[in-house]
Protein backbone atom coordinates (compact mmCIF):
# COMPACT_ATOMS: atom_id res chain seq x y z
CA UNK A 1 0.00 0.00 0.00
CA UNK A 2 1.12 3.57 -0.66
CA UNK A 3 1.79 5.55 2.46
CA UNK A 4 2.22 8.68 0.38
CA UNK A 5 0.84 9.65 -2.99
CA UNK A 6 1.68 6.99 -5.56
CA UNK A 7 3.63 9.69 -7.40
CA UNK A 8 6.00 9.92 -4.48
CA UNK A 9 6.26 6.14 -4.16
CA UNK A 10 7.18 5.90 -7.83
CA UNK A 11 9.78 8.64 -7.47
CA UNK A 12 11.32 6.92 -4.45
CA UNK A 13 11.41 3.66 -6.39
CA UNK A 14 13.24 5.25 -9.35
CA UNK A 15 15.73 7.11 -7.19
CA UNK A 16 16.40 3.91 -5.25
CA UNK A 17 17.64 2.29 -8.46
CA UNK A 18 20.59 4.67 -8.62
CA UNK A 19 23.93 3.26 -7.46
CA UNK A 20 24.71 3.92 -3.81
CA UNK A 21 21.20 5.17 -3.06
CA UNK A 22 19.48 3.11 -0.38
CA UNK A 23 15.82 3.26 0.62
CA UNK A 24 16.34 6.08 3.12
CA UNK A 25 18.37 8.25 0.77
CA UNK A 26 15.81 7.70 -1.98
CA UNK A 27 13.09 8.92 0.34
CA UNK A 28 15.11 11.95 1.39
CA UNK A 29 15.89 12.88 -2.23
CA UNK A 30 12.27 12.42 -3.29
CA UNK A 31 11.02 14.82 -0.63
CA UNK A 32 13.75 17.26 -1.53
CA UNK A 33 12.68 17.22 -5.19
CA UNK A 34 9.00 17.57 -4.32
CA UNK A 35 9.79 20.75 -2.42
CA UNK A 36 11.84 22.39 -5.17
CA UNK A 37 10.37 25.07 -7.46
CA UNK A 38 9.02 23.39 -10.62
CA UNK A 39 11.43 25.39 -12.85
CA UNK A 40 14.37 23.98 -10.97
CA UNK A 41 13.09 20.42 -11.35
CA UNK A 42 12.52 20.95 -15.07
CA UNK A 43 16.03 22.31 -15.51
CA UNK A 44 17.41 19.33 -13.62
CA UNK A 45 15.56 16.71 -15.67
CA UNK A 46 16.51 18.50 -18.90
CA UNK A 47 20.17 18.41 -17.85
CA UNK A 48 19.94 14.65 -17.38
CA UNK A 49 18.24 14.15 -20.75
CA UNK A 50 20.78 16.41 -22.52
CA UNK A 51 23.73 14.59 -20.97
CA UNK A 52 22.31 11.20 -21.85
CA UNK A 53 21.58 12.25 -25.44
CA UNK A 54 24.84 14.02 -26.18
CA UNK A 55 27.50 12.07 -24.38
CA UNK A 56 28.99 9.09 -26.17
CA UNK A 57 32.22 7.11 -26.30
CA UNK A 58 35.22 8.49 -28.19
CA UNK A 59 35.69 6.45 -31.37
CA UNK A 60 39.38 6.07 -30.66
CA UNK A 61 39.93 5.77 -26.91
CA UNK A 62 36.37 5.11 -25.67
CA UNK A 63 36.34 7.78 -23.01
CA UNK A 64 33.09 9.68 -22.53
CA UNK A 65 32.85 12.75 -24.73
CA UNK A 66 30.30 14.80 -26.65
CA UNK A 67 32.29 14.60 -29.88
CA UNK A 68 33.10 11.73 -32.23
CA UNK A 69 36.73 11.93 -31.19
CA UNK A 70 37.62 13.33 -27.77
CA UNK A 71 39.86 16.43 -27.39
CA UNK A 72 42.80 14.32 -26.15
CA UNK A 73 42.74 11.97 -29.15
CA UNK A 74 42.24 14.95 -31.46
CA UNK A 75 45.17 16.90 -30.01
CA UNK A 76 48.35 17.17 -32.06
CA UNK A 77 50.24 18.12 -28.91
CA UNK A 78 49.81 14.69 -27.35
CA UNK A 79 52.17 11.79 -27.90
CA UNK A 80 50.00 9.29 -29.76
CA UNK A 81 52.66 6.59 -29.56
CA UNK A 82 52.18 6.13 -25.82
CA UNK A 83 48.85 4.68 -24.77
CA UNK A 84 47.79 4.45 -21.14
CA UNK A 85 45.15 1.81 -20.51
CA UNK A 86 42.68 2.72 -17.75
CA UNK A 87 39.46 1.16 -16.47
CA UNK A 88 37.14 4.16 -16.63
CA UNK A 89 36.87 7.76 -17.80
CA UNK A 90 37.16 8.75 -14.14
CA UNK A 91 40.65 7.24 -14.03
CA UNK A 92 41.54 9.17 -17.18
CA UNK A 93 40.42 12.38 -15.50
CA UNK A 94 42.56 11.56 -12.43
CA UNK A 95 45.66 11.32 -14.64
CA UNK A 96 44.72 14.39 -16.66
CA UNK A 97 44.50 16.40 -13.46
CA UNK A 98 48.20 15.77 -12.82
CA UNK A 99 48.85 17.76 -16.01
CA UNK A 100 52.03 15.75 -16.55
CA UNK A 101 51.03 12.87 -18.78
CA UNK A 102 51.59 13.69 -22.46
CA UNK A 103 50.43 10.47 -24.06
CA UNK A 104 46.94 9.31 -24.98
CA UNK A 105 44.58 6.83 -23.32
CA UNK A 106 42.53 3.75 -23.93
CA UNK A 107 39.51 3.35 -21.66
CA UNK A 108 38.46 -0.28 -21.18
CA UNK A 109 35.17 0.67 -19.54
CA UNK A 110 35.48 -2.25 -17.16
CA UNK A 111 37.82 -5.02 -16.06
CA UNK A 112 37.83 -8.74 -16.62
CA UNK A 113 35.91 -10.28 -13.74
CA UNK A 114 34.93 -13.95 -14.00
CA UNK A 115 32.99 -13.57 -10.74
CA UNK A 116 30.72 -11.00 -12.38
CA UNK A 117 30.68 -12.76 -15.71
CA UNK A 118 32.75 -10.06 -17.42
CA UNK A 119 35.13 -11.56 -19.96
CA UNK A 120 37.75 -10.06 -22.31
CA UNK A 121 35.10 -9.51 -24.98
CA UNK A 122 33.00 -7.37 -22.64
CA UNK A 123 35.61 -4.63 -22.32
CA UNK A 124 37.25 -2.56 -25.07
CA UNK A 125 40.19 -4.90 -25.59
CA UNK A 126 39.70 -5.73 -29.24
CA UNK A 127 39.62 -2.00 -29.96
CA UNK A 128 42.95 -1.61 -28.14
CA UNK A 129 44.58 -4.32 -30.24
CA UNK A 130 43.36 -2.61 -33.42
CA UNK A 131 44.97 0.63 -32.24
CA UNK A 132 48.25 -1.22 -31.72
CA UNK A 133 48.40 -1.98 -35.42
CA UNK A 134 49.32 1.67 -35.84
CA UNK A 135 52.53 3.29 -34.63
CA UNK A 136 52.77 2.65 -30.89
CA UNK A 137 55.94 2.62 -28.76
CA UNK A 138 54.56 1.85 -25.33
CA UNK A 139 51.39 0.68 -23.61
CA UNK A 140 51.17 1.70 -19.95
CA UNK A 141 48.70 -0.47 -18.07
CA UNK A 142 47.10 1.62 -15.34
CA UNK A 143 44.23 -0.57 -14.23
CA UNK A 144 43.48 -0.48 -10.49
CA UNK A 145 45.45 -2.72 -8.15
CA UNK A 146 42.35 -4.73 -7.26
CA UNK A 147 42.34 -8.46 -8.00
CA UNK A 148 40.43 -7.85 -11.23
CA UNK A 149 42.65 -4.91 -12.16
CA UNK A 150 45.80 -7.01 -11.75
CA UNK A 151 44.35 -9.97 -13.64
CA UNK A 152 43.28 -7.66 -16.46
CA UNK A 153 46.78 -6.14 -16.57
CA UNK A 154 48.36 -9.59 -16.89
CA UNK A 155 45.89 -10.59 -19.58
CA UNK A 156 46.57 -7.48 -21.64
CA UNK A 157 50.32 -7.79 -21.25
CA UNK A 158 50.22 -11.36 -22.57
CA UNK A 159 48.20 -10.19 -25.57
CA UNK A 160 50.57 -7.37 -26.40
CA UNK A 161 53.92 -9.06 -25.74
CA UNK A 162 54.05 -10.91 -29.09
CA UNK A 163 53.71 -7.61 -30.95
CA UNK A 164 57.05 -6.44 -29.54
CA UNK A 165 55.53 -3.22 -28.22
CA UNK A 166 56.87 -2.16 -24.82
CA UNK A 167 54.36 -2.95 -22.06
CA UNK A 168 54.65 -1.36 -18.62
CA UNK A 169 52.59 -1.40 -15.45
CA UNK A 170 52.23 1.58 -13.11
CA UNK A 171 54.08 1.11 -9.81
CA UNK A 172 52.41 -0.33 -6.76
CA UNK A 173 52.61 3.08 -5.09
CA UNK A 174 48.90 2.87 -5.70
CA UNK A 175 47.44 1.18 -2.60
CA UNK A 176 46.04 -2.30 -3.07
CA UNK A 177 42.33 -2.17 -3.75
CA UNK A 178 42.61 1.59 -4.11
CA UNK A 179 40.55 3.21 -6.80
CA UNK A 180 42.65 5.43 -9.02
CA UNK A 181 40.22 8.31 -8.87
CA UNK A 182 40.64 8.72 -5.11
CA UNK A 183 44.41 8.80 -5.14
CA UNK A 184 46.18 12.15 -4.96
CA UNK A 185 48.11 13.51 -7.92
CA UNK A 186 51.55 13.09 -6.35
CA UNK A 187 50.93 9.39 -5.78
CA UNK A 188 49.62 8.99 -9.32
CA UNK A 189 52.70 10.65 -10.79
CA UNK A 190 54.99 8.52 -8.67
CA UNK A 191 53.14 5.41 -9.82
CA UNK A 192 53.54 6.51 -13.43
CA UNK A 193 57.22 7.40 -13.13
CA UNK A 194 58.00 4.18 -11.27
CA UNK A 195 56.30 1.98 -13.82
CA UNK A 196 57.94 -1.36 -14.54
CA UNK A 197 58.32 -3.55 -17.61
CA UNK A 198 55.89 -6.45 -17.90
ZN1 LIG B 1 39.63 9.71 -27.25
Amino acid sequence: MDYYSEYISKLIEELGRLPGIGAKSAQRLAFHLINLPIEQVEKFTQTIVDARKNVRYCKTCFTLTDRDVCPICASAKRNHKTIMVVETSRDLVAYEKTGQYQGVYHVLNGVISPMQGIGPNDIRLRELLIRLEGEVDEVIIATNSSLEGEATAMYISKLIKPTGIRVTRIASGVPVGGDLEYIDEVTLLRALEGRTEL
Side-chain angles (χ1 to χ4, degrees):
M1 104 172 222
D2 286 329
Y3 292 102
Y4 317 112
S5 150
E6 68 173 294
Y7 290 105
I8 298 181
S9 303
K10 243 181 173 171
L11 183 57
I12 293 172
E13 195 188 314
E14 287 297 331
L15 289 166
R17 289 199 185 129
L18 297 172
I21 305 291
K24 275 194 181 160
S25 298
Q27 214 169 62
R28 193 167 45 83
L29 288 171
F31 283 110
H32 174 75
L33 290 170
I34 294 293
N35 285 301
L36 288 178
I38 186 68
E39 301 76 34
Q40 212 173 319
V41 175
E42 279 167 352
K43 197 178 152 201
F44 179 55
T45 52
Q46 195 55 51
T47 305
I48 296 174
V49 172
D50 287 347
R52 179 62 189 84
K53 277 189 180 162
N54 290 297
V55 176
R56 66 199 92 162
Y57 293 107
C58 168
K59 275 184 178 168
T60 305
C61 76
F62 297 93
T63 193
L64 291 170
T65 178
D66 53 15
R67 309 176 198 185
D68 275 351
V69 174
C70 78
I72 296 171
C73 288
S75 169
K77 288 184 187 148
R78 309 292 295 231
N79 170 9
H80 292 262
K81 292 181 178 178
T82 301
I83 300 178
M84 185 193 288
V85 178
V86 293
E87 290 180 22
T88 66
S89 289
R90 297 192 305 264
D91 297 332
L92 176 154
V93 169
Y95 267 101
E96 277 306 282
K97 279 187 181 164
T98 69
Q100 301 293 313
Y101 177 65
Q102 302 298 321
V104 292
Y105 298 89
H106 190 85
V107 184
L108 295 173
N109 287 295
V111 270
I112 298 169
S113 171
M115 296 282 285
Q116 292 180 47
I118 302 168
N121 291 329
D122 300 315
I123 59 177
R124 301 285 189 173
L125 260 185
R126 210 166 351 116
E127 291 85 347
L128 173 65
L129 294 179
I130 292 168
R131 285 181 80 183
L132 298 185
E133 288 168 11
E135 242 180 278
V136 178
D137 291 336
E138 181 181 356
V139 175
I140 303 168
I141 305 179
T143 50
N144 288 322
S145 55
S146 62
L147 221 61
E148 291 88 353
E150 291 297 349
T152 305
M154 288 318 295
Y155 188 90
I156 296 173
S157 115
K158 274 186 194 149
L159 277 183
I160 299 177
K161 271 278 169 68
T163 66
I165 296 169
R166 186 181 176 209
V167 190
T168 55
R169 173 90 173 108
I170 54 166
S172 54
V174 178
V176 171
D179 264 83
L180 280 186
E181 57 173 323
Y182 296 121
I183 293 161
D184 67 272
E185 290 162 24
V186 178
T187 310
L188 275 185
L189 279 180
R190 229 182 270 145
L192 180 58
E193 277 156 14
R195 66 187 186 274
T196 49
E197 305 282 337
L198 281 181

